[in-house]
């Protein structure tokens, strides 16, 4: 093979002409003699190419573990590849112009094929260098056998031989990297399609084993989907890090407006949250909104988990924050049926909502605070910086306007859901 990176061990002991560039003083007759010697030796190598291939394959088996594995899997294919590459290399010494394109195509195919097979590039380039060393050594041995006095002339073509080797090292590396890039893109696209199918709930049962393998997620087990939007522009990593603790196993899928994390969780469905949903988003990330859905069983249910995460995200305030669906189930009921939520808010709070803005906000704020304080007028007054009697007077005004009694549990449920609908249904 016209192979190259570095020779890890000497091919053979003994005196070998050292390659060096031609000097300006070299005469044309010397060049012609050197080419004659080169061509004669190259024809000899072509006649003995199978033996040269055997030597190269033996060296690869001895020095390259990656090729040792390839030889174990398919010795015939590896031998044929080496033979084909060596044949093109030697033919290029005899007819550089005529054989150049075929030799380049051969090296390119080898680089692309080995990239697809996952052979390390370092091993491939070492194989090319070994092949180049064997060809050069074969030229020297053939000339020493046929005309020992002509060995010195090979020095004048050494630079050309090694330039050829270096050219094909560059070529095979380029083919390898381009193929590797295409394979990577193909894998990324496939992973994206599989993740999108899981999140959309459109995956076929037959696709689940492949999805588990490509995404490196167990097919069975408990999952939570985390939805992330907002945060630092151009910094999706920051929002993701804020949503899922460092070290957690997660597969991220970037969407146009929302990023989704598919997160395996424990049997209890627990997902540690780095930020309390009540306290809002991290101070350095204003506008970052995170919705954490409820756990589901298995990859097949990830679509349901995504819908739950979307529901949690809808509950997040515009200013930012983290909402766990399990902690906001009444609000989830409202956003799951916004038409009913708005109808309930209008029916229960309609008279309040039609007051002058100042009066309306005071009464609604008092009602919300009283509910947050578990019905304690004393605590509500402390939070609102007013006397408890003021709180009670405002609450009585709310009861008169709405026709609901705060001492009747069913009415309190209606009022609480109506306030939640007004808070979470932004439009």
């Amino acid at each position: 093979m016209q192979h190259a990176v570095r020779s890890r061990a000497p091919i053979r002991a003994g005196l070998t002409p050292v390659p060096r560039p031609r000097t300006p003083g070299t005469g044309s007759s010397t060049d012609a003699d050197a080419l004659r010697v080169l061509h004669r030796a190259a024809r000899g190598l072509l006649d003995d190419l199978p033996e040269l291939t055997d030597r190269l394959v033996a060296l690869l088996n001895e020095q390259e573990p990656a090729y040792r594995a390839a030889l174990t899997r398919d010795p015939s294919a590896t031998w044929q590849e080496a033979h084909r590459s060596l044949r093109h290399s030697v033919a290029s010494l005899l007819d550089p112009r005529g054989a150049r394109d075929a030799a380049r195509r051969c090296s390119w195919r080898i680089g692309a094929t080995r990239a697809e097979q996952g052979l390390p590039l370092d091993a491939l380039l070492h194989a090319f260098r070994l092949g180049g060393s064997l060809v050069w050594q074969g030229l020297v041995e053939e000339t020493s056998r046929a005309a020992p006095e002509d060995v010195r002339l090979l020095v004048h073509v050494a630079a050309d031989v090694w330039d050829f080797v270096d050219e094909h090292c560059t070529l095979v590396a380029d083919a390898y990297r381009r193929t590797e890039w295409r394979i990577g893109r193909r894998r990324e696209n496939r992973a994206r399609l599989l993740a999108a199918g899981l999140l959309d709930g459109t995956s076929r049962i037959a696709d689940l084993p492949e999805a588990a393998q490509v995404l490196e997620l167990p097919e069975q087990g408990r999952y939570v989907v985390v939805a992330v939007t907002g945060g630092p522009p151009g910094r999706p990593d920051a929002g993701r890090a804020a949503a899922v603790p460092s070290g957690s196993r997660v597969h991220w899928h970037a969407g146009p407006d929302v990023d989704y994390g598919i997160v395996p969780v424990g049997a209890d469905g627990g997902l540690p949250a780095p930020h309390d949903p009540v306290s809002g988003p991290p101070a350095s990330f204003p506008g970052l909104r995170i919705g954490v859905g409820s756990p589901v069983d298995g990859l097949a249910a990830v679509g349901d988990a995504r819908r739950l995460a979307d529901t949690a995200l809808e509950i997040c305030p515009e200013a930012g924050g983290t909402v766990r669906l399990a902690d906001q189930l009444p609000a989830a009921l409202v956003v799951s049926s916004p038409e009913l939520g708005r109808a309930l808010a209008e029916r229960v709070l309609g008279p309040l909502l039609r007051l002058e803005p100042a009066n309306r906000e005071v009464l609604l704020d008092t009602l919300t605070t009283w509910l947050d304080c578990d019905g304690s007028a004393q605590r509500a007054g402390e939070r609102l910086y007013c006397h408890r009697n003021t709180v009670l007077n405002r609450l009585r005004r709310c009861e008169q306007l709405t026709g609901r009694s705060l001492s009747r549990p069913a009415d309190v449920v209606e009022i609480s859901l109506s306030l939640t609908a007004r808070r979470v249904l932004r439009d």
Side-chain angles (χ1 to χ4, degrees), residues 159-188:
D160 294 334
V161 173
W162 286 101
D163 283 347
F164 176 88
V165 173
D166 289 340
E167 175 193 356
H168 283 260
C169 285
T170 301
L171 188 69
V172 77
D174 188 26
Y176 187 101
R177 293 189 180 101
R178 291 191 186 189
T179 303
E180 191 175 45
W181 180 85
R182 284 197 298 271
I183 291 172
R185 287 299 301 271
R186 192 161 61 236
R187 287 174 179 166
E188 289 175 6

Side-chain angles (χ1 to χ4, degrees), residues 88 90-104 164 168:
H88 282 293
V90 177
S92 295
L93 298 177
L94 292 168
D95 183 12
R97 292 185 179 180
R100 181 177 183 272
D101 289 343
R104 289 174 63 85
F164 176 88
H168 283 260

Side-chain angles (χ1 to χ4, degrees), residues 39 42 77 90 97 111 148 150 171 183 187 213-214 218 261 301 340 345 352 366 375 380 388 408 410 413:
H39 290 169
V90 177
R97 292 185 179 180
D150 288 340
L171 188 69
I183 291 172
R187 287 174 179 166
Q213 179 182 11
V214 172
L340 290 178
L352 269 174
T366 300
R388 65 181 297 275
R408 188 180 303 125
V413 170

Side-chain angles (χ1 to χ4, degrees), residues 227 229 277-278 280-281 288-294 306-338 417 419-426:
T229 188
V278 175
L288 175 63
R289 298 166 55 225
I290 300 169
V292 182
S294 299
R306 192 269 305 168
R307 285 186 285 275
L308 295 173
D310 281 341
T311 300
L313 192 62
E314 286 187 62
I315 302 171
C316 282
E318 289 289 351
T322 302
V323 170
R324 292 170 174 272
L325 190 67
D327 300 332
Q328 300 284 339
L329 292 180
L333 288 174
V334 171
V335 299
S336 296
S337 184
L417 285 175
L419 290 170
T420 298
R422 184 174 179 273
R423 172 174 59 86
V424 301
L425 299 177
R426 301 178 181 90

Side-chain angles (χ1 to χ4, degrees), residues 228-244 274-275 279-290 317-322:
V228 181
T229 188
R235 287 284 312 280
D237 57 314
R240 293 175 177 182
V244 179
H275 307 291
S279 62
S284 57
F285 301 146
L288 175 63
R289 298 166 55 225
I290 300 169
E318 289 289 351
T322 302

Side-chain angles (χ1 to χ4, degrees), residues 94-178:
L94 292 168
D95 183 12
R97 292 185 179 180
R100 181 177 183 272
D101 289 343
R104 289 174 63 85
R105 286 194 298 270
C106 177
S107 293
W108 185 274
R109 281 195 299 271
I110 291 173
T113 300
R114 288 306 189 181
E116 291 174 352
Q117 295 171 349
L119 185 85
L121 177 58
D122 182 69
L124 179 60
L125 292 176
H126 184 215
F128 267 67
R129 173 61 68 182
L130 285 176
S133 298
L134 277 178
V135 168
W136 175 253
Q137 183 175 308
L139 294 173
V140 173
E141 290 174 349
E142 186 69 25
T143 303
S144 298
R145 183 166 50 250
E149 68 279 4
D150 288 340
V151 170
R152 60 183 177 79
L153 292 173
L154 289 177
V155 171
H156 299 285
V157 295
D160 294 334
V161 173
W162 286 101
D163 283 347
F164 176 88
V165 173
D166 289 340
E167 175 193 356
H168 283 260
C169 285
T170 301
L171 188 69
V172 77
D174 188 26
Y176 187 101
R177 293 189 180 101
R178 291 191 186 189

Side-chain angles (χ1 to χ4, degrees), residues 245-270:
S246 175
S248 298
R249 192 175 180 186
V250 57
H251 177 84
W252 285 103
H253 178 80
D257 302 307
V258 180
D259 286 354
Y260 294 101
I262 305 174
V263 189
V265 296
D268 60 352

